[in-house]
Amino acid sequence: MKFLFTILFSFLISIYSIGCDSSNSSTNSSNCPINQSIGCDSNCAENPLQNDTCGVCGGNGSSCEGLLNVYYDVDVPIAGFQFDVDGVAVISASGGAARAAGFSVSSSSTTVIGFSLSGSVIPQGTGTLISLEIEGDSNSFCIKDDDDLVLSNIGGDSIPAIIENCNTIKYSE
């Protein structure tokens, strides 16, 4: 019986440590390798603010593998948006405040468009506007210059905005 318990205990310990690559010296706040998902990143589950912009627990924002968020910081509700990107190819666009508002979203490899046919809006404030699945180096991503950016209010009027840090659309009076 003691032998069976020892085997079972060893088996459970080995399952717990699956994915903990001891050769990886980078660690997150729970002293486990970055990207560890079994038993090691419970601190990130409890405190999502430890996740970087790529969603990696304890990461530094440089390890995005095909995903990128576009953020917004506006003082007026957004009824529609359109922007072009440089440096990567957009595969798809979804999620964020656009999804929460029920926006119809369309994308090509260089352009993302979102709007509502029902009149809903993205409320003023800050957050993730939309998440992009991309192909290419996320460090090369940038929303094209301000001339290619379109934000509109519920009346269809243009909302003045600028691009900050290549991935944030910010209201500018």
Side-chain angles (χ1 to χ4, degrees):
M1 182 71 168
K2 188 175 184 180
F3 177 74
L4 184 58
F5 176 78
T6 303
I7 291 174
L8 182 58
F9 182 75
S10 298
F11 177 74
L12 291 174
I13 293 298
S14 68
I15 288 176
Y16 179 79
S17 63
I18 288 175
C20 286
D21 180 1
S22 60
S23 66
N24 184 348
S25 61
S26 299
T27 60
N28 63 24
S29 62
S30 63
N31 294 322
C32 289
I34 293 173
N35 294 325
Q36 170 55 27
S37 61
I38 300 177
C40 289
D41 60 12
S42 61
N43 286 343
C44 288
E46 294 167 11
N47 184 4
L49 295 177
Q50 292 179 7
N51 293 337
D52 68 5
T53 57
C54 302
V56 175
C57 180
N60 64 8
S62 65
S63 59
C64 296
E65 295 179 13
L67 298 176
L68 189 77
N69 289 330
V70 172
Y71 301 98
Y72 69 99
D73 181 359
V74 295
D75 293 341
V76 295
I78 300 171
F81 61 85
Q82 177 178 335
F83 58 87
D84 293 331
V85 301
D86 267 337
V88 299
V90 176
I91 297 170
S92 67
S94 63
R99 178 177 180 214
F103 275 32
S104 294
V105 174
S106 182
S107 64
S108 71
S109 63
T110 59
T111 304
V112 178
I113 300 171
F115 58 91
S116 171
L117 294 173
S118 67
S120 68
V121 296
I122 297 171
Q124 66 187 46
T126 61
T128 301
L129 178 64
I130 195 149
S131 296
L132 306 178
E133 181 181 1
I134 60 168
E135 184 174 270
D137 181 4
S138 63
N139 293 317
S140 299
F141 170 84
C142 202
I143 297 173
K144 283 191 178 179
D145 65 46
D146 300 335
D147 293 336
D148 294 324
L149 173 65
V150 177
L151 284 185
S152 61
N153 64 21
I154 194 71
D157 300 318
S158 179
I159 299 171
I162 59 171
I163 310 297
E164 281 190 348
N165 301 320
C166 281
N167 68 345
T168 301
I169 299 171
K170 186 170 182 167
Y171 176 74
S172 67
E173 290 185 84

